[in-house]
DNA sequence: AGCACGCCGACT
DNA sequence: GTCGGCGTGCTC
């Protein structure tokens, strides 16, 4: 007798379900299924369950059984939300894998994986008690809150705390409940609502021709109503074909056509028209017109690469495609996608958020049409719910998406493409699970028997190492697409220029000259500086004081357009100071260069040039972003100043020159990945230069022109950079020769953070050895939002049993965290920290 | 994670 | 005396 027959045939025994809860708790909760629903539940369905005294939560069934829990009385489930599983069992396995690997709770993975619209939950709110007799006196604060509730209808605990200016509203609410002034109730947070449009059609009575002709005649005397009817018939030719009436016409069509609303209402009242509602997709049908699969041919280099990838997939599950910028990786991706789709399997195409642009989406849409689903964090939650559900229903065999799309309910994945594989933004920073989508893509693919293609012009050291070791396949594309040549790279020595008095502000005269020349030729240039705002800090010239954030240990960035000082970490802003806060001097000077300042200075050097700026601040709104784009493409901008947004986001045609304002900051950044990152960033920006017929130029300002890394960059020599870097990594036991786990302690009290971190470090060193546990150390920014932090770095050498190590680590940390030294201090665990 | 609860110090 | 902050423990 197998398990399922026990479940369905047994009449006596109640069905219990183990539910994955959307909470940071270590275990699943067990609930009881009402007998009437016993046949309806399945693993992977969402259920609504009671939790605590009055809350409700959405959970996912992960197991069904007949064992009543012995320690407690299981509660009944309240609702079954799905008629088919919305979460696959392989997803549940993946959630558990992620929780274990990234040392968090499965519930946290669940919380991140599902769009909010799929998780209904309740929140406690307070409303007026209708039975309240005004006699029982409320004190001032209570009165104040009472009035606020009367105005708004209801308030959450947080809102009450704010109004009453209390840290915890508990006592106040309790008192008001006791006085029977208010009631506590639970309000469901809004759940997914399908998009509905109202349509109008003729009632059945008028679906035949004669009736309709009669009707038109009777309406001769009522021109407004006749106009309505004719408007309808114009779009829905019922006279010619009565069946089209069923489709109806959008109600908005009438409103827009400037027809009177009341005459429409009359027709509805008289039973001529009827209103009905249809559920429509949020993803407009407007481009469903027959798309032309843009035919293209791979060039010989691409063909070779393509065939090589297919061949290596025979033996390897993961292949790294190392293709320089402009080598045409995307065409290869498309060919592979077409091939996978033709085999009937699903494809996931992962992109960093910054690179998932309308350009690439439109291109794919043109080729794959309705097969393409898009999963972007910029989309509304409702849209993400629709993508999720569609995938469950077998629609969208191809999904282009950002980081979190690795959690979509794929059932038959054949290929995963991770483009810009080296991008650090694939790693989630906050909240848990702090997963790396590229690494998770490999796990997901393995689970589903799919292949993974990692693509990059500058692969991560980790991935390239895997390829060198033979774990991954490797395919290299060294040729630029078409006739395009690699840009010419020129280093500009700012130290020397300084000595020779050849610097104008932050610009060397050579750079100004180059920009000038390019402008005179009528060509477009890009000036790259990865720093937004006007200047990263302002300083008093008399006492060296620097304006800093009150809540963070960072300098405030000056934004000229708003005349504000801003903290880029907590969002704090204040008006520009007139006087030094330390000595009162008025000699405040902007120091360092942000894009805003470069834009301004450059305008002085090139007074006739039209200069544009593209960074987070100029592209906040979609319209601003789009208009900037069209300005660039229509040639209305001569020099574009921008941050990494221009490097990673859009593909511009026709930038013949790129200038990197400051290469040193990235190179000298105090992090073991600094060289790798600098190489990637500068190469990527440089890759924007040049077009089909013409070799582009790249100017790099640096005060260390002999730095080996720059040498590799200007020769586009990734392999040399890798060779140098991998030696460093091995020597210092950094990834890929070890795995890192970062423990961050946070608290408002700096000394408590320090005590906790030291205590934990000592305990861990004792347990795992001093070589494996480094720190604690203060992070680069010691305090953010008044929270102090300290970090411990754990290095796990290759070959050590990872799973076992993490288990032991978790045990040890749990013990220490309950001790007096660590109690109350927040601990953040970041596995494979970047 | 929320939420309930109760201890305790600090004000009228 | 109460008021309000905050640490603790629990949730199937
Ligand atoms: Zn700040
Ligand atoms: Zn001063």
């Amino acid at each position: 007798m197998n398990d399922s027959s026990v479940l369905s045939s047994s009449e006596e025994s109640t069905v219990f379900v183990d539910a994955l809860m959307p909470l940071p708790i270590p275990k699943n909760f067990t609930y009881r299924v009402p007998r009437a629903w016993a046949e309806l539940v399945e693993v992977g369905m969402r259920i609504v369950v009671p939790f605590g005294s009055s809350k409700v939560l959405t959970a996912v069934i992960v197991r069904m059984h007949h064992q009543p829990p012995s320690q407690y009385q299981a509660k009944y489930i309240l609702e079954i939300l799905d008629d088919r599983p919305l979460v696959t069992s392989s997803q549940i396995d993946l959630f558990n894998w992620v929780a274990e690997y990234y040392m968090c709770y499965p519930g946290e993975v669940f919380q991140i994986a599902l769009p909010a619209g799929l998780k209904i939950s309740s929140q406690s709110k307070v409303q007026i008690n209708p039975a309240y007799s005004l006699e029982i006196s409320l004190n001032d604060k209570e009165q104040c809150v009472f009035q606020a509730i009367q105005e708004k209808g209801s308030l959450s605990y947080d809102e009450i705390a704010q109004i009453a200016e209390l840290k915890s509203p508990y006592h106040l609410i309790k008192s008001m409940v006791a006085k029977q002034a208010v009631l506590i109730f639970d309000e469901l947070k809004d759940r997914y609502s399908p998009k509905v449009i109202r349509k109008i059609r003729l009632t059945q009575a008028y679906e035949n021709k004669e009736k309709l002709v009669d009707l038109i005649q009777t309406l001769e005397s009522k021109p407004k109503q006749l106009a309505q009817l004719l408007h309808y018939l114009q779009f829905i030719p019922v006279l010619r074909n009565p069946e089209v009436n069923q489709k109806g016409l959008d109600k908005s069509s009438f409103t827009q056509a400037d027809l009177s609303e009341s005459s429409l209402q009359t027709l509805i009242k008289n039973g001529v028209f009827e209103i009905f509602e249809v559920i429509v997709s949020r993803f407009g049908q407007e481009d469903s017109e027959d798309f032309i699969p843009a035919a293209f041919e791979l060039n010989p280099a691409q063909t070779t690469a393509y065939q090589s990838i297919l061949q290596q997939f025979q033996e390897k599950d993961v292949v790294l495609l190392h293709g320089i910028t402009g080598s045409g990786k995307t065409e290869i991706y498309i060919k592979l996608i077409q091939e996978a789709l033709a085999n009937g399997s699903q494809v996931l195409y992962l992109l960093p958020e910054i690179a998932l642009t309308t350009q690439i989406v439109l291109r794919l849409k043109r080729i794959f049409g309705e097969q393409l689903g898009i999963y972007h964090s910029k989309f509304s939650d409702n849209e993400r719910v629709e993508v999720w559900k569609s995938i469950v229903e077998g629609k969208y065999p191809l999904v282009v998406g950002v980081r979190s799309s690795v959690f979509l309910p794929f059932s038959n994945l054949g290929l995963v493409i991770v483009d810009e594989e080296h991008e650090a933004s694939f790693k989630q920073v906050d909240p848990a699970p702090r997963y790396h989508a590229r690494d998770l893509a490999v796990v997901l693919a393995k689970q589903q028997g799919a292949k993974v293609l990692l693509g990059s012009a500058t692969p991560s050291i980790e991935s390239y190492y895997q390829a060198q070791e033979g774990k991954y396949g490797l395919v290299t594309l060294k040729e630029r697409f078409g006739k395009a040549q690699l840009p010419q790279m020129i280093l500009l020595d700012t130290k020397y220029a300084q000595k020779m008095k050849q610097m104008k502000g932050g610009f060397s005269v050579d750079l100004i000259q180059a920009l000038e020349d390019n402008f005179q030729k009528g060509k477009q240039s890009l000036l790259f500086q990865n720093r937004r705002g006007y200047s990263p800090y302002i300083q008093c010239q008399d006492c060296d004081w620097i304006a800093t954030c009150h809540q963070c240990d960072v300098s405030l960035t000056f934004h000229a357009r708003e005349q504000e000082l801003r903290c880029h970490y907590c969002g704090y802003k204040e008006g520009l100071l007139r006087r030094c806060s330390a000595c009162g001097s008025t000699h405040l000077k902007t120091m360092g260069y942000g894009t805003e300042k470069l834009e301004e200075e450059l305008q002085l050097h090139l007074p006739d040039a039209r200069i544009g700026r593209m960074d987070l601040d100029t592209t906040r709104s979609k319209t601003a972003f789009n208009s900037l784009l069209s300005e660039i493409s229509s040639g209305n901008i001569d020099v574009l100043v921008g941050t990494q947004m221009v490097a990673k986001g859009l593909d511009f045609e026709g930038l013949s020159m790129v200038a990197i304002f400051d290469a040193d900051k990235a190179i000298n950044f105090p992090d073991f990945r600094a060289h790798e990152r600098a190489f990637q960033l500068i190469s990527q920006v440089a890759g924007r230069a040049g077009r089909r017929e013409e070799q582009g130029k790249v100017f790099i300002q640096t005060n260390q022109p002999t730095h080996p890394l720059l040498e590799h960059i200007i020769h586009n020599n990734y392999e040399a950079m890798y060779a140098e870097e991998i030696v460093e990594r091995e020597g210092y036991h950094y990834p890929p020769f070890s795995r890192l786990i970062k423990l961050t302690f946070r608290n408002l009290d700096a000394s408590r953070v320090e005590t906790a971190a030291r205590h934990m470090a000592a305990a861990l060193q004792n347990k795992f050895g001093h070589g494996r546990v480094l720190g604690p150390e203060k992070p680069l920014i010691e305090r953010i939002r008044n929270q102090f932090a300290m970090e411990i770095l754990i290095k796990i050498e290759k070959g050590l049993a990872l799973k076992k190590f993490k288990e032991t680590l978790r045990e040890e940390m749990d013990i220490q965290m309950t001790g007096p030294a660590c109690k109350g201090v927040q601990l953040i665990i970041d596995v494979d920290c970047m």
Side-chain angles (χ1 to χ4, degrees):
Chain A
M1 196 161 32
N2 68 34
D3 219 30
S4 66
S5 70
V6 175
L7 276 179
S8 52
S9 67
S10 164
E11 299 213 322
E12 283 77 20
S13 60
T14 318
V15 177
F16 291 92
V17 290
D18 290 350
L20 172 56
M21 310 295 285
L23 301 169
I25 49 174
K27 290 191 150 188
N28 295 326
F29 279 10
T30 303
Y31 288 88
R32 183 189 289 262
V33 179
R35 183 139 305 169
W37 294 350
E39 307 281 318
L40 300 176
V41 287
E42 272 181 64
V43 167
M45 285 178 175
R46 295 171 306 141
I47 48 176
V48 178
V49 295
F51 182 76
S53 61
S54 60
K55 265 180 84 80
V56 300
L57 293 173
T58 304
V60 169
I61 300 174
V62 295
R63 195 170 83 91
M64 292 161 43
H65 57 87
H66 287 291
Q67 296 104 45
S70 53
Q71 305 296 308
Y72 52 87
Q73 185 76 34
K75 289 182 181 172
Y76 278 104
I77 66 173
L78 300 174
E79 199 179 335
I80 304 170
L81 290 176
D82 306 312
D83 47 22
R84 63 188 287 183
L86 213 75
V87 178
T88 66
S89 55
S90 71
Q91 277 183 293
I92 294 167
D93 293 343
L94 188 69
F95 293 175
N96 287 321
W97 187 92
V98 171
E100 189 182 296
Y101 186 86
Y102 289 103
M103 299 184 76
C104 66
Y105 298 104
E108 293 176 304
V109 185
F110 170 41
Q111 191 71 264
I112 286 293
L114 272 76
L118 291 177
K119 298 168 295 191
I120 61 172
S121 67
S122 69
Q123 192 188 19
S124 295
K125 289 201 146 194
V126 178
Q127 64 173 54
I128 301 294
N129 184 352
Y132 174 55
S133 52
L134 294 154
E135 278 64 48
I136 306 170
S137 65
L138 299 174
N139 65 30
D140 290 355
K141 243 175 201 166
E142 288 169 352
Q143 191 59 46
C144 174
V145 169
F146 189 84
Q147 275 174 6
I149 297 173
Q150 257 179 337
E151 275 165 36
K152 295 258 180 163
S154 69
L155 290 176
S156 71
Y157 287 14
D158 279 356
E159 287 165 330
I160 291 175
Q162 268 193 355
I163 288 162
E165 292 173 316
L166 287 172
K167 287 256 172 89
S168 61
Y170 173 67
H171 295 289
L172 183 94
I173 294 166
K174 185 119 201 201
S175 156
M176 291 178 77
V177 171
K179 289 173 182 170
Q180 299 194 313
V182 295
L183 294 173
I184 295 169
F185 72 105
D186 283 80
E187 188 182 73
L188 288 185
K189 289 187 195 155
D190 52 350
R191 65 163 113 176
Y192 166 73
S193 55
K195 185 174 173 184
V196 174
I197 54 167
R198 294 161 75 86
K199 290 190 138 194
I200 296 219
R201 68 182 165 212
L202 292 166
T203 53
Q204 216 163 4
Y206 293 98
E207 258 183 26
N208 77 67
K209 204 169 169 179
E210 295 83 56
K211 279 267 197 173
L212 204 49
V213 173
D214 283 353
L215 178 66
I216 291 169
Q217 272 159 11
T218 39
L219 288 180
E220 290 281 299
S221 56
K222 298 169 177 124
K224 289 244 168 100
Q225 291 185 37
L226 186 62
Q228 298 280 2
L229 182 59
L230 293 177
H231 177 81
Y232 181 77
L233 293 175
Q234 183 193 338
F235 290 97
I236 313 291
V238 185
L239 286 168
R240 241 178 294 148
N241 177 11
E243 274 168 30
V244 295
N245 182 49
Q246 283 307 311
K247 280 204 321 199
L249 185 63
D250 289 8
K251 188 166 180 292
S252 58
S253 167
F254 291 88
T255 351
Q256 279 159 20
D258 210 21
L259 296 160
S260 102
E261 171 74 24
S262 66
S263 57
L264 184 63
Q265 290 304 325
T266 314
L267 286 167
I268 293 165
K269 206 169 66 203
N270 295 343
V272 175
F273 281 136
E274 63 184 6
I275 293 187
F276 65 107
E277 290 182 339
V278 288
I279 294 175
V280 296
S281 164
R282 286 190 164 78
F283 300 100
Q285 237 69 84
E286 75 275 6
D287 38 28
S288 70
E289 85 242 15
D290 46 345
F291 54 92
I292 311 121
F296 62 89
E297 291 283 316
L298 298 184
N299 68 21
Q302 286 173 318
T303 308
T304 313
Y306 169 72
Q307 279 162 356
S308 178
I309 291 165
L310 286 183
Q311 191 211 321
Q312 298 203 36
F313 274 157
Q314 302 284 318
E315 295 161 28
K316 312 261 163 83
D317 290 332
V318 184
V319 171
L320 174 62
L321 173 59
H322 178 200
I324 58 166
T325 321
S327 57
K329 291 191 288 292
T330 315
E331 285 81 12
I332 298 177
Y333 297 159
I334 290 168
K335 268 275 188 284
L336 288 164
I337 293 168
Q338 286 172 329
E339 160 122 3
L341 292 179
N343 287 334
S345 41
Q346 294 170 310
V347 177
L348 170 61
Y349 184 174
L350 272 174
L351 279 164
E353 196 150 318
I354 197 166
L356 182 45
T357 57
T358 18
Q359 283 181 349
I360 182 77
V361 168
L362 286 177
R363 183 163 181 198
L364 293 170
K365 195 100 203 167
R366 234 180 300 129
I367 295 164
F368 297 103
E370 303 216 315
Q371 291 182 296
L372 174 69
I374 301 144
Y375 203 67
H376 197 296
S377 50
K378 292 287 175 326
F379 284 0
S380 77
D381 201 71
N382 279 331
E383 288 168 325
R384 280 190 276 172
V385 169
E386 284 185 14
V387 173
W388 185 293
K389 289 189 164 174
S390 299
I391 293 171
V392 169
E393 288 160 13
K395 285 182 230 157
Y396 297 145
L398 167 62
V399 175
V400 213
V402 295
R403 189 170 60 214
S404 57
S405 46
V406 289
F407 290 119
L408 286 168
F410 300 107
S411 51
N412 177 30
L413 212 48
L415 173 68
V416 183
I417 293 169
V418 185
D419 197 15
E420 309 293 347
E421 158 289 317
H422 62 277
E423 273 293 315
S425 62
F426 279 125
K427 180 79 159 62
Q428 163 121 340
V429 275
D430 247 345
R434 300 179 174 81
Y435 65 99
H436 199 304
R438 180 239 289 143
D439 298 347
L440 211 45
V442 174
V443 176
L444 172 71
K446 182 148 204 159
Q447 193 188 48
Q448 307 235 345
K451 301 292 178 185
V452 180
L453 182 67
L454 306 178
S456 176
T458 50
S460 64
I461 298 286
E462 279 89 342
S463 297
Y464 204 76
Y465 176 75
Q466 295 298 333
Q468 293 298 307
E469 291 290 289
K471 300 255 177 60
Y472 294 175
L474 177 64
V475 175
T476 310
L477 261 176
K478 283 244 163 208
E479 211 175 280
R480 265 195 160 185
F481 194 85
K483 295 198 189 97
Q485 299 172 32
L486 283 172
Q488 182 193 358
M489 307 249 215
I490 300 131
L491 295 179
L492 299 173
D493 185 348
T494 50
K495 209 176 201 167
Y496 179 75
Q498 194 90 52
K499 212 164 72 188
M500 303 308 282
K501 306 253 185 280
Q502 304 224 310
M503 290 296 283
K504 290 186 178 174
F507 292 85
S508 64
V509 290
D510 290 344
L511 181 56
I512 294 169
Q513 192 57 52
L515 287 164
E516 171 80 43
D517 289 349
N518 206 47
F519 168 56
Q520 291 303 341
K521 282 185 217 153
K523 293 177 175 168
Q524 288 177 303
S525 312
L526 169 68
L527 177 61
F528 174 79
Q529 167 73 332
N530 209 6
R531 192 144 233 176
R532 66 192 171 92
Y534 188 88
S535 71
Y537 61 108
I538 60 166
Q539 189 167 35
C540 171
Q541 295 303 288
D542 292 333
C543 75
D544 288 349
W545 173 85
I546 292 172
T548 55
C549 178
H550 299 296
Q551 310 190 66
C552 316
D553 282 338
V554 292
S555 63
L556 291 170
T557 301
F558 175 49
H559 287 251
R561 193 170 55 176
E562 294 83 6
Q563 286 289 303
E564 268 174 358
L565 293 171
R566 287 189 189 171
C567 174
H568 286 180
Y569 289 85
C570 72
Y572 168 82
K573 39 182 139 169
E574 62 180 45
L576 178 60
L577 297 166
R578 297 267 158 258
R579 291 175 172 279
C580 166
S581 296
C583 75
S585 156
T586 53
H587 294 151
L588 293 175
K589 198 176 165 195
T590 61
M591 306 292 284
Y593 292 89
T595 44
E596 229 181 339
K597 188 174 188 175
L598 291 188
E599 185 187 10
E600 185 183 290
E601 279 196 7
L602 195 57
Q603 192 70 75
L604 295 176
H605 297 309
L606 308 178
D608 298 327
R610 292 157 301 178
I611 298 170
R613 174 162 62 93
M614 185 180 233
D615 54 30
L616 212 82
D617 302 309
T618 60
T619 55
R620 281 257 153 70
S621 82
K622 193 138 189 118
T623 44
F625 181 72
N626 286 333
S627 70
L628 186 56
L629 269 189
S630 65
E631 289 283 284
I632 297 163
S633 57
S634 64
N636 284 332
I637 285 176
D638 301 309
V639 185
L640 181 68
V641 182
T643 57
Q644 57 163 347
M645 194 172 258
V646 290
K648 298 169 193 249
L650 298 133
D651 229 333
F652 302 114
E653 269 283 311
L655 290 172
S656 50
M657 167 180 166
V658 165
I660 289 151
F661 185 75
D662 175 14
D664 302 325
K665 201 151 289 146
I667 298 172
N668 300 331
F669 195 77
D671 182 284
F672 76 92
R673 282 187 231 263
H675 285 186
E676 177 189 358
R677 295 261 167 79
F679 187 95
Q680 287 161 348
L681 185 60
I682 298 173
S683 301
Q684 199 156 18
V685 182
R688 302 281 112 162
R691 38 180 170 179
R692 291 282 143 78
E693 330 75 47
E694 173 202 349
Q695 188 184 27
K697 280 188 180 174
V698 178
F699 293 87
I700 303 172
Q701 288 202 135
T702 173
N703 59 29
Q704 40 193 346
T706 55
H707 197 293
L709 187 73
L710 284 169
E711 196 73 6
H712 303 326
I713 289 174
I714 62 172
H715 293 116
N716 201 24
N717 194 345
Y718 176 86
E719 287 78 7
M721 184 280 291
Y722 172 81
E724 241 162 53
E725 197 56 24
I726 202 75
V727 172
E728 293 281 305
R729 300 282 179 95
E730 184 158 26
Y732 292 100
H733 307 294
Y734 275 119
F737 299 96
S738 68
R739 295 186 183 262
L740 302 180
I741 300 176
K742 188 164 72 186
L743 307 180
T744 306
F745 289 86
R746 296 187 139 280
N747 197 274
L748 292 167
D749 181 343
S751 65
R752 284 184 71 188
V753 172
E754 179 143 5
T755 313
R758 291 206 180 287
H759 185 85
M760 179 70 80
L764 296 180
Q765 275 159 356
N766 192 31
K767 188 114 192 162
F768 302 110
H770 280 71
R772 294 205 182 100
V773 183
L774 309 177
E777 264 179 27
K778 287 177 177 168
L780 216 54
I781 300 162
E782 214 183 307
R783 182 181 56 125
I784 294 174
R785 286 177 202 275
N786 282 325
Q787 292 261 340
F788 290 88
M790 269 198 123
E791 297 171 346
I792 295 171
L793 195 64
I794 299 170
K795 278 186 183 173
I796 309 165
E797 67 269 28
K798 246 173 87 179
L800 204 69
L802 201 58
K803 199 173 151 180
K804 187 84 191 74
F805 185 94
K806 283 176 184 165
E807 275 167 26
T808 324
L809 176 62
R810 169 60 84 182
E811 278 169 30
E812 186 62 25
M813 287 194 303
D814 284 348
I815 295 167
Q816 298 305 326
M817 286 310 285
T818 53
C822 299
K823 229 175 189 153
V825 180
Q826 190 193 1
L827 169 62
I828 296 157
I829 306 167
D830 187 0
V831 175
D832 294 342
C833 58
M834 308 216 52

